[in-house]
Amino acid sequence: MASNRFPIMEIFGPTIQGEGMVIGQKTMFVRTAGCDYSCSWCDSAFTWDGTGKQDIRMLMASEIFQELSRIGGESFSHVTLSGGNPALLPQLNELIDLLHENGIAVALETQGSLWRDWFLQIDELTLSPKPPSSGMQTDWDILDELVSRLSDHNRCFCLKVVVFDDADIRFAEEVHRRYPEVSMFLQAGNNDIMETDSTVLLKRLMKCYEWLVQSVMASTVLRSVRVLPQLHTWLWGNKRGV
């Protein structure tokens, strides 16, 4: 009987998904610890930089499901696996299988830095390659493989790029040229993850979103994309667990 334990930072909800192709979706969140990236603007750096290590709990799939049920009761049918990078956990299919057995859909976001066979079990998968502003480098060969495998299996997936500046726009254009048949979402980044006044932050985020919309409208490459705000930050600022 499977008994793997997974490093869990947070379990919370129900709330709404603030990003990507399932924006606005009512969902519960399971946030895993650990990441193979260290993005400069990461809004969940506590999952990998050591500052949140005291919050990590090693839980079995059954324990995660029990806590989801305790918190969410009968009010949810959708769970988002987030991080960090949940793709670092090779046996996460145990949790995915358990959620599916209970009629719960599963979404996941990963930067597309490695493949897991259980990606084919995810109901809504977001590949989010990181732009230059993150300080990270995309391995295009690996991303090519992921897009190809998911496409070959007719999985529901999309690409999402967080944008902060002109260099990120050019990166997004490169992604769109490379995978023109894949649904693509551009999202204005949160440029002040330390701001505690949600009213002040919202004004800044709205300006960033307006700039992104204008930039995309002017692009001759980004012709078939959707431009999104980071909805949860508009509602709750930099607050965790919402």
Side-chain angles (χ1 to χ4, degrees), residues 65 93-107 118 120-123 155:
F65 181 70
N93 57 287
E94 292 176 14
L95 175 59
I96 298 164
D97 289 342
L98 182 57
L99 292 170
H100 282 162
E101 288 167 10
N102 286 273
I104 298 169
V106 182
W118 52 258
L120 299 178
Q121 298 172 246
I122 298 295
D123 299 291
R155 300 309 300 158

Side-chain angles (χ1 to χ4, degrees), residues 187-213:
Q187 180 179 295
N190 179 358
N191 60 6
D192 194 352
I193 58 176
M194 302 305 294
E195 178 58 64
T196 58
D197 188 325
S198 58
T199 301
V200 171
L201 180 62
L202 178 58
K203 291 180 180 178
R204 294 174 184 165
L205 294 175
M206 291 178 70
K207 288 181 180 179
C208 293
Y209 182 54
E210 182 180 10
W211 170 83
L212 178 58
V213 169

Side-chain angles (χ1 to χ4, degrees), residues 158-177:
C158 73
L159 288 157
K160 187 194 79 176
V161 176
V162 179
V163 177
F164 286 84
D165 54 31
D166 289 335
D168 290 355
I169 287 286
R170 292 191 292 272
F171 175 83
E173 290 178 336
E174 182 176 2
V175 172
H176 197 42
R177 285 193 197 97

Side-chain angles (χ1 to χ4, degrees), residues 134-148:
S134 70
M136 300 293 103
Q137 293 287 330
T138 294
D139 187 321
W140 295 105
D141 289 339
I142 293 177
L143 192 57
D144 285 349
E145 177 190 5
L146 266 66
V147 170
S148 178

